[in-house]
Amino acid sequence: MAIQSMTGFGKGEASGSDWVITAEIKSVNHRFKDLRFKMSSLFAPIELDLKNSLAKVFKRGSFDIYVNYKKAEGKTKFDDIDEVKVAEFLDKISTITKSKGLDLAISPSEFLRQDFYKDLDDSSEESFKLAKEAFELALKSLEQSRLSEGEKMHAVIEQHAKQFREHFGVICGLVDLFQANVEEKLRKRFQDYSDEISIDEPRFLQEVVYYLEKMDVHEEINRIKAHLEKLDAILNDGGEIGRQLDFLIQELNRETNTIGSKSSLKEISDNVVQMKVQLEKIREQSLNLE
């Protein structure tokens, strides 16, 4: 499965005999799924249908949804004047003016007020159908946008993971040198102090072994190798990987920090810092993945 970013934009448009309806969807990252509709109340009856359609395609993200309508091409505002409303108004005014003995004087521009325009029937199956068509097109456009962005982020994560492995490989090559260096320092101290004070050599060697075991990082190295295999599997499988990556980066950070705290060798410490830098960059990317 492909990897999706939670950032994207999609637009769709559907036209009828009288109206053109446009749907736009903007999405950004979010821990869960958050939808905000910004549209006329005329489309309120189909809001739940639109929510369900979006839920079938996307699992996470913050979505701003706009649904707008305008007159179809070739239509003017005069086409929207409701003749029935005008006729009813004239009949009513004529009755009143005649009963009062007044002359009726009305300017045609009076009928350009919103009161005399046709209503976009909120129960119109045509308007609902157009809105749903536009929304489905916007969903497809948004999905392509998020997939395209996700592909770029996938490449970035792979690059940071490669750099992490390079620094990790340096540490793997220095581990035995680090242990030998520690053991040598301890033996030198034993020789220095043994000339001045009486030291139980077997007990001292026992403490050296204990200390070396405590400072051993092979276990952390093996866990990091296992986590890196899991990272490859997650990236290859695709789908909803954002949360999985977030957890895995935490585990890799924990093992990397442990190696840094156990080692006093400058080369190891330097590479631990660079490994943490790459993990942070991967984490930043993962926060925007679905």
Side-chain angles (χ1 to χ4, degrees):
M1 293 176 64
I3 294 174
Q4 277 197 33
S5 165
M6 285 189 282
T7 300
F9 173 79
K11 182 177 181 179
E13 185 175 282
S15 303
S17 57
D18 295 320
W19 301 98
V20 176
I21 297 181
T22 303
E24 295 180 349
I25 311 174
K26 299 177 182 178
S27 73
V28 294
N29 61 310
H30 194 277
R31 288 185 63 194
F32 305 105
K33 184 161 54 186
D34 180 41
L35 279 65
R36 291 180 296 277
F37 282 87
K38 301 176 182 180
M39 61 186 186
S40 169
S41 59
L42 298 172
F43 299 111
I46 63 170
E47 182 175 324
L48 182 59
D49 292 337
L50 301 184
K51 285 183 178 180
N52 291 336
S53 295
L54 187 144
K56 292 177 182 177
V57 183
F58 306 115
K59 305 301 180 185
R60 291 175 62 202
S62 175
F63 301 86
D64 285 318
I65 301 159
Y66 305 84
V67 180
N68 300 302
Y69 63 91
K70 63 181 180 180
K71 291 185 289 293
E73 187 176 354
K75 295 286 184 178
T76 68
K77 60 183 178 181
F78 300 111
D79 295 311
D80 293 333
I81 294 177
D82 192 323
E83 295 180 13
V84 174
K85 289 182 178 180
V86 172
E88 290 177 348
F89 174 76
L90 290 174
D91 289 342
K92 188 67 174 179
I93 292 298
S94 296
T95 301
I96 295 174
T97 54
K98 286 179 181 179
S99 66
K100 300 297 183 180
L102 302 173
D103 293 329
L104 179 62
I106 299 178
S107 171
S109 62
E110 292 287 332
F111 303 115
L112 295 178
R113 299 203 314 267
Q114 189 67 38
D115 295 337
F116 296 106
Y117 282 131
K118 295 176 181 177
D119 296 323
L120 178 61
D121 187 0
D122 60 352
S123 64
S124 169
E125 288 300 323
E126 181 184 7
S127 63
F128 290 168
K129 180 182 177 183
L130 290 174
K132 290 179 179 180
E133 286 179 6
F135 190 74
E136 288 297 329
L137 291 173
L139 284 178
K140 291 179 181 178
S141 176
L142 176 61
E143 184 177 24
Q144 288 303 313
S145 175
R146 286 168 52 123
L147 286 171
S148 176
E149 187 69 19
E151 186 176 346
K152 295 175 185 177
M153 295 172 67
H154 186 178
V156 172
I157 290 175
E158 290 277 18
Q159 182 60 33
H160 291 313
K162 179 182 177 183
Q163 294 180 35
F164 177 90
R165 282 186 168 93
E166 290 174 357
H167 294 292
F168 178 57
V170 173
I171 289 178
C172 290
L174 291 172
V175 168
D176 292 335
L177 175 63
F178 164 67
Q179 286 192 311
N181 186 44
V182 171
E183 186 174 358
E184 182 181 351
K185 286 182 179 180
L186 291 174
R187 288 186 178 278
K188 186 175 183 304
R189 286 194 177 185
F190 172 77
Q191 292 175 356
D192 292 341
Y193 287 113
S194 62
D195 294 336
E196 301 176 7
I197 59 176
S198 176
I199 299 177
D200 184 350
E201 183 173 358
R203 176 61 187 275
F204 177 80
L205 293 176
Q206 185 179 356
E207 291 297 327
V208 169
V209 171
Y210 172 76
Y211 183 75
L212 289 175
E213 288 179 350
K214 186 177 180 182
M215 301 303 291
D216 182 64
V217 295
H218 283 91
E219 186 175 345
E220 286 76 13
I221 286 175
N222 290 334
R223 281 200 289 263
I224 288 178
K225 289 179 179 178
H227 291 329
L228 289 175
E229 290 179 4
K230 180 63 175 177
L231 175 63
D232 289 338
I234 290 174
L235 293 175
N236 289 331
D237 292 343
E240 300 172 47
I241 69 171
R243 288 194 177 97
Q244 295 181 67
L245 278 180
D246 185 46
F247 173 76
L248 192 59
I249 296 307
Q250 290 181 43
E251 294 301 307
L252 281 166
N253 247 320
R254 182 179 293 110
E255 304 302 340
T256 302
N257 285 330
T258 302
I259 291 176
S261 65
K262 286 185 175 182
S263 172
S264 59
L265 203 62
K266 183 179 183 302
E267 291 88 343
I268 291 181
S269 297
D270 290 345
N271 281 279
V272 163
V273 170
Q274 292 305 315
M275 288 167 66
K276 291 176 67 176
V277 168
Q278 299 309 316
L279 288 176
E280 179 60 23
K281 291 180 177 179
I282 295 175
R283 190 190 71 83
E284 289 174 358
Q285 297 295 323
S286 71
L287 291 176
N288 203 33
L289 293 176
E290 187 176 58

